[in-house]
Amino acid sequence: MSSASPSGHNWSRKPKAEEEEEDPFDRMIARTGCASFHHAVQECMAEHQDWRKCQQQVQGFKDCMREYQKQQAEEHQRRQKLHQATS
């Protein structure tokens, strides 16, 4: 083990490429427009370690996602109608 460093591997340090790589889940949340609500839930959970103390943040995120899903469903219906009209 002469090639190993005396301090060993620093497991808490990510390689630079991984630091710059965005999490797919974060990208998905960002596309919904609800990222700030999601981050508020995460921050509250980090602070309190109890989801019951974060109900206001959870409800805000839930409401935002519900609105996003509603808009997606409406857009899907519009596309179906357009497709049926042109067929």
Side-chain angles (χ1 to χ4, degrees):
M1 290 203 141
S2 61
S3 63
S5 66
S7 63
H9 184 78
N10 185 353
W11 292 103
S12 64
R13 175 79 176 113
K14 294 180 182 178
K16 189 157 182 72
E18 284 184 37
E19 288 178 342
E20 294 174 0
E21 188 177 310
E22 188 178 13
D23 180 18
F25 182 77
D26 287 339
R27 281 196 307 264
M28 180 195 67
I29 294 294
R31 284 193 298 264
T32 68
C34 299
S36 62
F37 293 97
H38 183 255
H39 291 261
V41 171
Q42 288 180 315
E43 288 175 11
C44 183
M45 286 296 297
E47 180 181 342
H48 298 290
Q49 300 291 310
D50 184 351
W51 65 270
R52 294 170 293 190
K53 294 181 180 178
C54 301
Q55 288 306 294
Q56 182 179 354
Q57 292 84 351
V58 169
Q59 189 62 49
F61 180 59
K62 183 178 176 181
D63 292 345
C64 183
M65 288 301 295
R66 185 178 294 129
E67 182 61 28
Y68 171 76
Q69 290 171 337
K70 178 182 168 189
Q71 290 173 0
Q72 290 296 105
E74 289 170 356
E75 179 64 24
H76 180 70
Q77 288 175 348
R78 280 193 290 272
R79 288 181 183 169
Q80 279 186 326
K81 287 179 183 177
L82 180 62
H83 178 70
Q84 290 171 352
T86 59
S87 295

